Amino acid sequence: MLSQQYQDNIDTLLKKIEEAEAIVVGGAAGMTEAAGYSFYQSGETFKKYFGKFADKYGIKNIFEGFYYPFSSSEERWAFLVTDIKFIYDAEAGRPYLDLLQLLQGKNYFIVTTNQDTQFNKVFPKEKVSPIQGDMRYFQCGSRCHDQVYFNKDQVENMYANIDGTRIPTELIPLCPKCGQEMEPWVRSYVFLEGSSYRNELRKYNEFLIKNKDKKVLFLELGVGTMTPMFIKEPFWNMTYSWPDAYYITINPKDALLPRELKDKGLAIHEDIAVVLKDAVNEKAKRHEDIK
């Protein structure tokens, strides 16, 4: 049986979604963890896809593997393409599908620091801004020119030719302009903040400007404290500054509510997958009761 506090949280979540004239969703690693695809933990999914890298190099999770100092480009790219192949093949997680149900018919936009494309598997591209990049694209490692390249065919070929924990040297992706090694287009020391990056920021900022005077709900899902400057802190600032804004954060570990927002916000310290599922079920139940 649900506690009264938890039921009140679900009621508030549904009420604020229904009342909102615009909803800004901020999604981060906690959403992907809630879907069962953890990049920061060594679970069954990691062992299934990356077991040979764990055995040989002692890599404990995908995040660690991305920054591991491999001794050769052939080894590094074998790990990277295994990661990207997994991203392409992974089905959309249940929390993302439940979120789609909750946002149905609403005016919304999603900003995410995730690079795993889970949001893009469910929501229209024009409604999602991956402001930390997207693993489906390569860029020049030396940033010699402003272009990113969709990599699916290249990744499939590289993955199919992995030998142990290496790819053939001739399959290492090279920049078509300068010949240097390519890099995944994700936040790093060489992240290309060019036209593609600026376009993602433009989409997000245009939505904010267009809706700032409306009744706005900022819905934060799975945002931790590693990079609070991208979603968490801007959401706090806008909620505080905009008279008709409200803030809800759902996170079992990092659901933080500043005291300045105690009358304009709600922190739900629960599993994101469970909360979204219960909210969808409650919404459906109410719909049936009305009928």
Side-chain angles (χ1 to χ4, degrees):
M1 177 138 179
L2 301 179
S3 70
Q4 188 58 51
Q5 178 66 56
Y6 182 77
Q7 186 61 56
D8 289 345
N9 287 343
I10 296 295
D11 291 344
T12 299
L13 174 62
L14 290 174
K15 179 173 181 287
K16 293 300 180 181
I17 289 174
E18 182 180 351
E19 292 177 346
E21 297 171 301
I23 300 174
V24 185
V25 176
M31 268 293 278
T32 297
E33 287 193 29
Y37 303 131
S38 176
F39 288 86
Y40 298 94
Q41 297 176 13
S42 179
E44 290 304 314
T45 300
F46 178 76
K47 291 176 184 177
K48 177 181 177 181
Y49 288 90
F50 300 91
K52 58 188 175 183
F53 296 97
D55 293 341
K56 184 172 182 178
Y57 305 103
I59 295 170
K60 298 180 179 65
N61 54 59
I62 300 175
F63 184 78
E64 185 177 300
F66 186 85
Y67 292 102
Y68 185 85
F70 291 99
S71 60
S72 70
S73 291
E74 289 84 355
E75 292 168 285
R76 177 173 181 256
W77 276 105
F79 182 88
L80 290 176
V81 297
T82 301
D83 184 4
I84 302 170
K85 170 70 170 169
F86 168 65
I87 285 171
Y88 273 117
D89 291 350
E91 295 183 358
R94 187 75 244 171
Y96 294 88
L97 298 172
D98 287 339
L99 179 63
L100 178 65
Q101 290 295 312
L102 292 173
L103 297 179
Q104 196 168 25
K106 302 300 296 188
N107 173 34
Y108 69 88
F109 193 87
I110 298 165
V111 59
T112 181
T113 51
N114 291 346
Q115 299 142 3
D116 58 20
T117 76
Q118 281 283 306
F119 279 109
N120 290 98
K121 291 176 187 284
V122 176
F123 297 92
K125 182 178 180 180
E126 64 271 15
K127 289 184 173 293
V128 180
S129 278
I131 57 173
Q132 295 272 56
D134 184 329
M135 289 290 277
R136 297 173 301 173
Y137 294 87
F138 289 155
Q139 63 162 84
C140 172
S142 62
R143 296 178 290 189
C144 79
H145 67 294
D146 180 16
Q147 188 173 343
V148 296
Y149 298 84
F150 190 64
N151 60 28
K152 190 173 193 307
D153 290 343
Q154 196 171 7
V155 164
E156 293 285 356
N157 185 40
M158 293 164 71
Y159 183 79
N161 286 281
I162 291 177
D163 182 11
T165 58
R166 301 171 63 89
I167 65 165
T169 302
E170 62 270 19
L171 293 185
I172 294 172
L174 303 177
C175 173
K177 305 288 186 182
C178 72
Q180 295 296 311
E181 273 191 40
M182 301 287 268
E183 285 287 323
W185 184 58
V186 296
R187 177 65 61 181
S188 69
Y189 292 118
V190 297
F191 182 47
L192 178 62
E193 293 185 351
S195 57
S196 295
Y197 173 75
R198 292 193 298 271
N199 182 58
E200 298 305 333
L201 289 182
R202 177 193 57 77
K203 290 191 301 182
Y204 177 38
N205 287 325
E206 284 181 355
F207 185 86
L208 293 175
I209 292 170
K210 182 178 179 181
N211 293 284
K212 66 184 180 65
D213 295 322
K214 297 178 181 177
K215 186 176 288 188
V216 180
L217 170 63
F218 289 97
L219 180 58
E220 181 190 286
L221 302 171
V223 179
T225 56
M226 184 186 300
T227 53
M229 72 291 293
F230 294 114
I231 295 175
K232 189 180 290 290
E233 291 173 353
F235 275 23
W236 288 348
N237 291 333
M238 286 184 284
T239 302
Y240 181 77
S241 302
W242 296 2
D244 291 323
Y246 194 86
Y247 168 78
I248 296 179
T249 173
I250 308 173
N251 196 320
K253 294 180 292 187
D254 296 311
L256 307 175
L257 184 67
R259 64 176 180 270
E260 291 85 356
L261 299 181
K262 64 182 179 63
D263 296 324
K264 298 185 71 177
L266 172 67
I268 303 178
H269 302 269
E270 303 287 348
D271 186 311
I272 299 168
V274 174
V275 173
L276 296 181
K277 178 183 176 182
D278 287 344
V280 167
N281 290 339
E282 180 65 23
K283 179 182 177 181
K285 177 174 174 289
R286 294 178 183 182
H287 183 71
E288 284 300 316
D289 288 344
I290 293 173
K291 292 169 68 175

